[in-house]
């Protein structure tokens, strides 16, 4: 076990404890452009602790094999590791293990749902699958703050089925217009899909309330938990959502793995998406019969070692304590916003300081393009994300094309935030747009 | 005894060839129009594709006959054979008790010692519990029998 | 660099050199049931050399980041690593790098093709995409020896579009009935999809000839290269196929990654499959415009570290020499079959000894179920695969439900084969079906 | 000079604000009904979503005018501004030579030293070549110009 085992989970996180946590993350010790790395891009992808890398290494050195297929010992051990991982990760989000489907990433998970609904909408399908079918007149409702991953799959589903895509608008401060949501939801709404936390504004949507509203009109409710599962205690049962997706690489795990939660009853009724080996019972040249969920949705050789690594990451987070992680990031998020608000020429997207937000902040620098801001910070060793963050409609709504985003995680200190703020304060001067001669 | 030998005990190898009860005729496989006292269930092991169709006949509270058709590994065939022999003559409560004991032993990963008093010949299948991938083999006929019995009145 | 760098690539592989190669694979030194592991299940999944594990570890310790998105240094380095990997893996199969799409596994790749064709078949699509559209009257042609991964996606595509699925039958020795192929191909055939090498019989299909026949009637030709890319020098351009898929985990790389080759012209014309971030140019709430290939098909955060690892695996194979790997496995394959033919009560599936086959052999043991065979071998530390190997129709055609399969790779010695044969020779005696008293 | 300062040389910062040639009116963005001697091209940088629409007017073999509209980072704006200033007055062969030299320098990852004799003010953009993620920024206007010029006769 690495350092993390020594955490005192009774106290809130502190800079001192974060410094201990950082020992588990070798990449955080590297230098960039001759400066110690200040990694503030965990909203895009997070870094992996040693225990996660070791879990994967151990898997390849001791029990790598195809799962659910062989009678030999390695295959049994690989299968155990794989299914144990499912149990750990399912528990991490409050689900049962038969309700967790492995996916490549959240994007694939949202596509899985949209395509399965699409498959229920063409040709002969089972009676159970009919509830997922969409036709002209049906509506899919999303929000104006969605990541492209929770928007385009629905656009394409609507294109294929003739259903109509609608969206809940946002207020100027980035929060969702709940009054509009109430008006837009109606008996034609078959699907309500929304992000738990915005990856741009840091807004935390009232997920339980929205879900209840969606269920009130009989809609299936899909939660994009990409920015919540890694950062706050997530309980899909408590929220009562029907589906949820998240990506491993945003929560201390490798790329190539993620999770799709679906209520058991729904997963079992839903038609398959990807087809092939390991998800069937009986196959003839003419047709195939499918296994129950979750196997029905796991065609072909699965990302086994990545699932094992994701479970190690979930364990790392659980051992640290998700409530502590959340509280620490709330603290960092407020520090970010307060600091940015104090710098001239900066406009923070989303809620002002004091209002609830996740541990991230996107902003505009008057007169300096986001890519130039990012480049300046990079020269100081500070890694942030620039661009539209896969949320073009949201940026357009807020009147800009791109922004700069700093996003924190459990391994960031207040010193990271302060170094970032100090650098941002220099940007307009460097580019000669602060009124002083350049 | 090596763990392989404890899996394939002599009695298992013999029972897998004996296939007692394995005489359900092809024309009854569909299981249509069953009278109240007869239940039938088809089970498929998705890992290997092996299948069994098992029919149970009851008289009042008692199992009066078991017939099955199917193919599978020696474990699954021996298990069906032993089950057929043991269950005929038991009443529902006795079958239930036997089932849950057998299931518990099978799922124990070798941790629970089979009680021959309770399990009789089926105790010979306890070696299977150390081979998680084969537990489904041993359970196949039992799951089918449980379901078939539940259909009868 | 590991041992492999010292290979003398002028000589054919030999047991001595294979023993050196084995030093690169830590798992091959493990014991199973108290016996040294004899791993003969590479047809299901292969083992990873140190250089592959190190490449991934190095990635996470030094440059893990989101790609194609950030301006910061880590993001640039991650992007370089990711795109360099694409170049290496594309070159490995004779393709250009813009013709290689990363996929989770071969199954996902075949589904990608089938769904993209399906998407071209509904609603308004671009003119360029029309050539992929299928309707009633159109035919998709596969073979009777396909893995479920190259069968069910086409069944489902046909179900959705009304097209008809046909198949080329096989001869009793497992080889393809080429006369039937010639008859079945006709101007309605829109797609011809076949496996390069059978994962059950080891038959190597005449891919170039079949491709020419398919093109002769105007069909698009898809190659399932799962069992060829890892084992023989593969040149998709020389074969002239339109699409090809393969899985990394079968070629010394981790799970969670594979490659889809598509001729540049086709990939650029084909509609997208998965949609979301990183594959778009412009997105509004109503619609999206898509990037050219390969990005168009890579929605969301990609399996970046796995791509880097797959490139390391391709390098390992190239350094060893694919012609040498192929020749060695041909030798092992013949040794397997000759040995099995000499054991009473064994029936080998596929071509007899002397006839060409890949380095694998599946067989039936009279009176003993495949799972019992596998269990017996496992107790001797020998890992083989049992079951239908995701090819139920092929097994049914050959008159059985399941078989036992031994499959070799570059790290197997003749001693591995001999140990396996010696154990197989004991099986019928152990189960008391050889006529002698048990 | 730090590599950041070599990227953002004073002249770049100035040109990015000057935006010479950045005067293409909105109603010409569609680029309909262009006469033979006028070419126009729209380019989008997919990494950031920034766009430029650039129009080239020719008189015989010579470029007689450049006008563009667009927004982007300082590198892309400076590059468009410098290009507009340099290319007007050159003939096709000269533009081609300039383009290919500029492209070569940009793609060199800092390995090829820009020749000020050939590249003039555009040599100030050579610091970009050490930042692969920004090369597209510098090339955006140039790719548009190349395409637009190819449309003219
Ligand atoms: C011929 C063939 N095609 C397809 C596959 C599917 O590969 P994967 O499970 O990696 O998607 C396999 C491997 O199982 C195979 O052998
Ligand atoms: C809110 C949200 N949804 C979806 C995604 C897509 O995740 P991935 O790229 O891992 O599929 C992201 C991350 O980029 C995100 O922040
Ligand atoms: S292997 Fe099929 S039932 Fe045992
Ligand atoms: S960042 Fe968009 S053009 Fe430079």
């Amino acid at each position: 076990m690495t350092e993390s085992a020594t955490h005192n989970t009774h106290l809130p996180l502190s800079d001192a404890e974060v410094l201990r946590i950082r020992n588990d993350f070798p990449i955080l010790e590297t230098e960039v452009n001759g400066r110690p790395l200040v990694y503030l891009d965990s909203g895009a992808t997070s870094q992996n602790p040693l225990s996660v890398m070791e879990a994967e290494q151990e898997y390849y050195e001791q029990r790598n094999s195809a799962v659910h297929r062989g009678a030999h010992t390695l295959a049994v051990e690989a299968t155990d590791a794989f299914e144990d991982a499912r149990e750990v990760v399912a528990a991490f989000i409050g689900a049962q293990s038969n309700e967790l489907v492995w996916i490549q990433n959240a994007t694939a998970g949202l596509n899985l749902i949209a395509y399965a609904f699409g498959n229920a909408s063409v040709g002969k399908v089972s009676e159970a699958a009919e509830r997922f079918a969409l036709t002209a007149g049906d509506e899919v409702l999303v929000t104006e703050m969605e990541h492209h991953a929770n928007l385009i799959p629905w656009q394409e589903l609507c294109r294929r089925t003739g259903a109509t895509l609608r969206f809940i608008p946002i207020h100027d401060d980035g929060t969702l217009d709940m009054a509009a949501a109430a008006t837009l939801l109606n008996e034609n709404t078959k699907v309500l899909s929304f992000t738990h936390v915005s990856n741009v504004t840091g807004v935390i949507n009232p997920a339980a309330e929205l879900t209840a509203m969606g269920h009130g009109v009989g809609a299936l409710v899909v939660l994009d938990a990409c920015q919540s599962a890694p950062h706050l205690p997530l309980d899909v049962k408590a929220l009562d959502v029907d589906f949820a997706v998240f990506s491993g690489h945003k929560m201390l795990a490798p790329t190539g793995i993620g999770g799709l939660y679906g209520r058991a009853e729904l997963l079992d009724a839903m038609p398959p998406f990807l087809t092939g080996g390991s998800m069937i019972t009986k196959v003839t040249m003419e047709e195939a019969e499918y296994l129950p969920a979750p196997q029905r949705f796991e065609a072909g050789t699965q990302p086994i070692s990545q699932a094992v690594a994701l479970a190690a990451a979930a364990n790392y987070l659980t051992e640290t304590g998700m409530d502590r992680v959340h509280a620490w990031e709330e603290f960092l998020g407020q520090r970010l916003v307060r600091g940015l608000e104090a710098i001239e020429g900066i406009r923070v997207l989303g809620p002002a300081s004091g209002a609830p937000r996740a541990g991230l902040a996107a902003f505009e620098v008057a007169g300096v393009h986001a890519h130039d801001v990012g480049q300046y910070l990079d020269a100081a060793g500070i890694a942030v994300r620039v661009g539209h963050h896969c949320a073009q409609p949201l940026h357009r709504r807020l009147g800009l094309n791109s922004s700069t985003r700093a996003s924190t995680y459990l391994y960031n200190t207040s010193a990271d935030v302060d170094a970032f703020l100090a650098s941002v304060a220099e940007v307009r001067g460097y580019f000669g747009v602060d009124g002083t001669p350049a | 005894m090596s763990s392989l030998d404890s899996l394939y005990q002599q009695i298992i190898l013999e029972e897998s060839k004996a296939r007692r009860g394995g005489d359900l005729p092809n024309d009854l496989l569909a299981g249509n129009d069953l009278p109240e006292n007869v239940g039938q269930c088809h089970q498929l092991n998705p890992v290997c594709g092996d299948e069994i169709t098992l029919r149970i006949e009851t008289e009042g509270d008692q199992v009066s006959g078991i017939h099955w058709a199917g193919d599978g590994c020696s474990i699954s065939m021996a298990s069906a054979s032993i089950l057929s022999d043991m269950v005929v003559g038991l009443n529902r409560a006795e079958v239930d008790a036997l089932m849950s004991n057998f299931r518990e032993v099978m799922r124990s990963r070798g941790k629970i010692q089979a009680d021959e008093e309770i399990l009789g010949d089926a105790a010979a299948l306890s070696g299977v519990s150390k081979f998680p991938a084969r537990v489904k083999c041993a359970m196949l006929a039992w799951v089918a029998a449980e379901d078939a019995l539940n259909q009868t009145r």
Side-chain angles (χ1 to χ4, degrees), chain A, chain B:
Chain A
M1 194 63 252
T2 49
E3 282 292 317
S4 61
T6 67
H7 296 155
N8 183 338
T9 52
H10 299 296
L11 298 175
L13 277 185
S14 62
D15 276 320
E17 180 141 6
V18 170
L19 287 176
R20 275 201 298 277
I21 287 178
R22 290 172 68 91
N23 289 332
D24 298 334
F25 295 82
I27 200 171
L28 298 179
E29 296 309 306
T30 56
E31 294 207 334
V32 159
N33 297 318
R35 308 280 289 272
L37 171 64
V38 175
Y39 189 73
L40 290 171
D41 197 18
S42 295
T45 210
S46 62
Q47 299 301 343
N48 294 1
L50 288 168
S51 61
V52 167
M53 295 190 251
E54 283 161 7
E56 204 168 353
Q57 176 109 1
E58 192 260 358
Y59 174 82
Y60 281 112
E61 293 191 351
Q62 287 175 38
R63 40 189 175 165
N64 178 38
S65 172
V67 299
H68 287 306
R69 291 182 169 185
H72 63 78
T73 302
L74 283 184
V76 172
E77 287 180 4
T79 305
D80 282 353
F82 183 62
E83 291 302 331
D84 289 352
R86 196 191 301 274
E87 227 161 273
V88 168
V89 176
F92 183 77
I93 59 160
Q96 293 157 27
S97 57
N98 63 335
E99 298 177 314
L100 183 78
V101 176
W102 299 119
I103 49 179
Q104 172 169 271
N105 54 27
T107 303
L110 291 161
N111 277 274
L112 188 163
I113 303 170
Y115 270 106
F117 288 8
N119 287 343
S121 312
V122 280
K124 62 160 182 28
V125 290
S126 72
E127 231 174 276
E130 264 165 33
R131 66 185 295 183
F132 304 106
L134 292 181
T135 53
D138 288 339
E139 295 177 8
V140 174
L141 186 61
V142 297
T143 84
E144 201 173 8
M145 69 175 84
E146 296 311 317
H147 188 281
H148 297 159
N150 197 24
L151 171 60
I152 314 181
W154 302 115
Q155 290 177 347
E156 288 285 330
L157 174 64
C158 289
R159 183 183 71 75
R160 291 196 302 273
T161 58
T164 305
L165 184 68
R166 300 183 169 263
F167 65 90
I168 308 170
I170 59 167
H171 297 298
D172 289 346
D173 71 350
T175 57
L176 202 61
D177 184 339
M178 293 297 284
T183 315
L184 282 158
L185 279 162
N186 67 73
E187 76 248 13
N188 296 323
T189 313
K190 290 293 161 66
V191 184
L192 167 63
S193 189
F194 63 92
T195 193
H196 197 174
V197 174
S198 163
N199 66 322
V200 177
T201 60
V203 162
I204 302 163
N205 281 316
E209 188 183 339
L210 277 165
T211 302
M213 287 164 68
H215 285 164
V217 298
L220 290 166
V221 177
V222 181
L223 184 75
D224 177 351
C226 270
Q227 297 291 343
S228 60
H231 300 290
L232 50 83
L234 177 66
D235 185 333
V236 292
K237 296 285 181 191
L239 295 179
D240 199 29
V241 294
D242 298 304
F243 298 96
V245 300
F246 53 95
S247 280
H249 69 92
K250 293 187 196 285
M251 47 188 285
L252 310 186
T255 54
I257 186 78
L260 162 68
Y261 159 79
R263 272 203 292 128
E265 176 225 337
L266 293 172
L267 279 188
D268 273 332
M270 205 162 73
F273 165 45
L274 300 180
T275 57
S278 305
M279 48 78 73
I280 52 83
T281 53
K282 217 163 180 171
V283 180
T284 64
M285 287 309 294
E286 289 72 34
E287 59 181 4
E289 286 164 28
Y290 303 115
L291 281 168
Q295 275 73 32
R296 179 186 307 176
F297 301 101
E298 297 180 344
T301 305
Q302 291 300 293
I304 307 168
S305 70
Q306 291 81 20
V308 170
L310 178 51
N315 282 333
Y316 187 95
L317 288 168
T318 301
E319 280 162 24
T320 308
M322 283 308 292
D323 44 351
R324 301 168 83 217
V325 170
H326 180 45
W328 180 246
E329 292 182 25
E330 271 186 326
F331 162 75
L332 293 177
Q334 293 299 328
R335 193 179 185 103
L336 272 174
V337 175
R338 265 200 323 275
L340 286 167
E341 285 172 345
I343 302 172
E344 196 179 314
I346 301 285
R347 170 189 164 207
V348 175
L349 311 186
S353 59
R357 70 153 60 222
L360 61 85
F363 56 98
E364 186 190 7
V365 180
V368 187
H369 189 281
H371 271 70
D372 293 323
V373 176
Q375 198 79 58
Y376 183 82
L377 296 179
D378 183 55
I382 301 164
V384 296
R385 176 95 185 274
V386 296
H388 50 62
H389 317 307
C390 299
Q392 286 185 11
L394 172 61
H395 276 84
R396 208 170 290 121
R397 163 67 177 80
L398 297 175
L400 64 181
N401 285 326
S402 60
S403 62
T404 306
R405 181 187 71 189
S407 53
T408 67
Y409 210 176
L410 76 170
Y411 40 59
N412 287 115
T413 58
S414 4
D416 287 346
V417 171
D418 296 347
F420 158 80
L421 291 170
S423 250
V424 171
E426 297 162 3
V427 167
R428 298 183 73 233
Y430 184 84
F431 287 98
V433 294
D434 62 346
T436 66
Chain B
M1 187 156 57
S2 78
S3 75
L4 191 73
D5 291 344
S6 81
L7 177 65
Y8 295 116
Q9 294 180 33
Q10 200 50 44
I11 183 169
I12 304 284
L13 299 183
E14 282 162 19
E15 290 277 353
S16 76
K17 285 165 206 148
R19 299 171 63 111
R20 287 183 282 175
D23 56 2
L24 186 71
N26 267 341
D27 59 339
L28 296 186
L29 281 181
N32 297 328
D33 306 320
L34 299 180
E36 274 204 345
N37 69 325
V38 177
Q40 184 164 319
C41 174
H42 170 258
Q43 284 289 325
L44 177 140
N45 184 342
V47 177
C48 55
D50 290 326
E51 299 173 75
I52 195 166
T53 304
L54 187 143
R55 163 178 295 223
I56 274 194
E57 295 148 6
T58 54
E59 268 179 45
D61 197 38
Q62 270 196 344
V63 175
S64 57
I66 296 192
H67 306 276
W68 54 269
D71 258 309
C73 63
S74 59
I75 308 293
S76 66
M77 294 296 98
S79 186
S81 181
I82 292 168
L83 167 112
S84 301
D85 195 49
M86 286 182 73
V87 166
V88 174
L90 300 187
N91 66 31
R92 285 168 201 273
E94 289 165 339
V95 176
D96 278 358
L98 182 63
M99 291 272 174
S100 59
N101 188 282
F102 185 68
R103 182 174 272 130
E104 201 189 350
V105 172
M106 283 299 115
R107 290 189 179 159
S108 76
R109 302 213 151 195
K111 297 217 178 73
I112 298 176
Q113 192 58 40
D115 183 342
E116 271 195 61
E117 296 277 298
I118 304 173
L119 288 180
D121 278 0
L125 285 158
S126 65
V128 176
S129 72
K130 277 186 231 131
F131 296 85
R134 305 304 294 278
V135 171
K136 275 218 178 85
C137 304
M139 291 300 304
L140 206 61
W142 296 66
V143 170
E146 189 171 37
D147 186 71
L149 185 58
N150 282 338
Q151 295 166 25
T152 64
R153 245 164 305 171

